C-alpha cells in the first residue's frame, strides 16, 4: 500500500543520515509539474542531476531542419526552473553525481524516470554501483519494468506522459501541454503527487492539492520568462466519441463530414449513423 511505501522511503532517508545524503537522478522527460514540486522538497538533498539519451539521428544530407540528438522534451524547462542541467544541447553531464557515488556520499539514490524505456540514458553505472554497495538504497519512481526497477529497494509507480495532464518546455522555449489519454493503471498516480507526499520526509510541506495549482505557482515564479504566464490558464483536450475516422480527424475533415454528407442516404454507412435523407432534397422513390 502507498502508506507503507512512503514509510519505507522515510526509513531509508533516516537510515542514510538524512536528506543531505539523498541524491536525485531525474529524466529529461519529467514534466514542469513534477520538477517544480521536486525543487520544493529537494532543498536539503545532496544534489539533483539530470540524464537523457543522446543519439544522432540519420538524416539526408543538406536537410534544413535537423532532428535534435537530445531525446528529452523538458531539459529547457528544467533549466528555466533553475536546475543545473549542464549542456542541454549535448550529452548529459553525469560527472558530479558519479563522483558523489564513488566517494560514498550517496546513501539513497532516488531515480525519477517517467519517460519511455531508455530515455533517461545509460544507467549501467547505477546498477554497477548498487551491486558494489556504493549506493545503500535505490529508489525508482517510474512507469516501466526495467533492470533498474528490478535492482531497486523501493519502487514507486508514477504516470507516463499519456496518463497525466502535464506541461513541457521545448528547446525553442515554447511551453506546451500534453493531455491525458488513459487513466494511470493500478496504484500508479501522477508524479508530482508522489513527490508532494514525500515533502515531510525531506523537511518541507507541499500544500498543492491539484496540478492546476502547481501550474499557477510555476506561472507566478517564472512570469518574467515568455510563455510561462499562460500556464495559469492552460487547458487540456479530452477524447470525444466519433462515428467514423473522418470525424475523429482534424476540424476541417469533421466539417466536411457534417456538411457534405448530411443528405446522403445511409446505404453505405447504416442507419445508426444518422436519420434518413430529407425527402425534399432526395425524394424517396419506390423501386419496382
Amino acid at each position: 500500500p502507498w502508506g507503507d511505501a512512503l514509510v519505507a522511503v522515510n526509513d531509508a532517508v533516516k537510515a542514510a543520515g538524512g536528506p543531505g545524503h539523498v541524491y536525485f537522478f531525474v529524466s529529461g522527460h519529467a514534466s514542469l509539474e513534477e520538477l517544480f514540486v521536486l525543487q520544493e522538497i529537494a532543498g536539503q538533498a545532496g544534489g539533483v542531476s539530470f540524464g537523457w539519451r543522446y543519439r544522432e539521428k540519420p538524416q539526408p544530407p543538406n536537410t534544413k531542419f535537423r532532428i535534435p540528438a537530445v531525446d528529452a522534451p523538458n531539459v529547457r524547462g528544467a533549466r528555466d526552473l533553475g536546475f543545473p542541467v549542464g549542456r542541454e544541447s549535448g550529452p548529459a553531464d553525469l560527472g558530479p553525481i558519479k563522483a558523489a557515488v564513488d566517494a560514498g556520499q550517496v546513501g539513497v539514490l532516488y531515480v525519477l524516470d517517467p519517460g519511455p524505456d531508455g530515455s533517461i540514458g545509460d544507467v549501467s553505472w547505477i546498477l554497477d554501483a548498487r551491486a558494489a554497495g556504493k549506493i545503500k538504497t535505490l529508489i525508482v519512481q517510474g512507469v516501466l519494468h526495467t533492470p533498474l526497477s528490478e535492482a531497486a529497494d523501493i519502487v514507486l509507480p508514477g504516470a507516463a506522459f499519456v496518463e497525466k495532464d502535464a506541461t513541457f518546455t521545448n528547446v525553442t522555449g515554447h511551453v506546451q501541454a500534453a493531455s491525458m489519454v488513459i487513466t494511470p493503471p493500478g496504484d500508479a498516480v501522477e508524479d508530482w503527487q508522489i513527490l508532494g507526499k514525500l515533502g515531510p520526509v525531506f523537511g518541507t510541506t507541499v500544500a498543492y492539492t491539484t496540478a492546476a495549482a502547481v501550474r499557477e505557482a510555476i506561472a507566478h515564479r517564472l512570469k518574467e520568462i515568455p510563455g510561462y504566464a499562460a500556464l495559469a490558464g492552460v487547458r487540456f483536450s479530452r477524447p470525444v466519441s466519433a462515428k467514423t475516422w473522418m470525424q475523429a480527424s482534424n476540424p476541417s475533415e469533421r466539417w466536411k463530414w457534417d456538411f457534405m454528407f448530411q443528405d446522403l442516404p445511409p446505404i453505405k454507412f447504416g442507419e445508426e449513423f444518422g436519420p434518413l435523407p430529407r425527402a425534399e432534397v432526395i425524394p424517396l422513390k419506390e423501386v419496382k
Side-chain angles (χ1 to χ4, degrees), residues 55-142:
R55 53 181 181 178
E56 294 290 348
K57 313 299 190 303
Q59 293 177 249
N62 303 320
T63 302
K64 292 184 179 180
F65 174 78
R66 304 294 299 178
I67 301 175
V70 174
D71 290 346
N74 206 27
V75 180
R76 176 73 173 266
R79 190 195 71 179
D80 288 345
L81 283 170
F83 284 102
V85 296
R87 306 181 302 268
E88 64 179 273
S89 60
D93 181 13
L94 304 182
I97 192 169
K98 286 184 176 181
V101 169
D102 291 338
Q105 300 173 355
V106 181
V108 176
L109 180 62
Y110 193 121
V111 179
L112 175 58
D113 184 16
D117 188 21
S119 59
I120 196 172
D122 177 39
V123 294
S124 60
W125 62 275
I126 298 178
L127 298 174
D128 293 342
R130 182 71 182 89
K134 294 181 179 180
I135 298 173
K136 296 181 178 64
T137 303
L138 176 61
I139 301 173
V140 174
Q141 179 177 330

Side-chain angles (χ1 to χ4, degrees), residues 19-26 38 41-50 83-84 96-97 100 105-106 108-110 202:
H21 296 276
V22 179
Y23 283 70
F24 289 90
F25 182 51
V26 186
L38 172 63
I41 72 169
Q44 300 180 36
V48 179
S49 295
F50 283 78
F83 284 102
I97 192 169
Q105 300 173 355
V106 181
V108 176
L109 180 62
Y110 193 121
F202 294 93

Side-chain angles (χ1 to χ4, degrees), residues 32-34 36-37 40 165 167 190 192-193 206-221 228 231-236:
L32 291 170
E33 289 84 353
E34 50 233 38
F36 185 80
V37 176
E40 293 208 347
D165 290 333
T167 51
E190 294 187 28
W192 73 268
Q193 293 175 305
V206 177
Y208 308 112
T209 57
T210 66
V214 177
R215 286 187 287 272
E216 288 178 5
I218 299 173
H220 178 72
R221 182 191 294 182
Y228 285 103
L231 274 180
V234 67
R235 295 292 180 266
F236 297 89

Side-chain angles (χ1 to χ4, degrees), residues 193-206:
Q193 293 175 305
I194 300 174
L195 296 170
K197 290 182 181 297
L198 291 173
V201 177
F202 294 93
T204 187
T205 300
V206 177

Side-chain angles (χ1 to χ4, degrees), residues 258-266 274-285:
D258 293 336
F259 183 78
M260 295 176 64
F261 301 119
Q262 60 184 337
D263 295 320
L264 284 181
L276 290 172
R278 301 203 309 266
E280 70 272 19
V281 178
I282 305 177
L284 298 177
K285 297 182 180 178

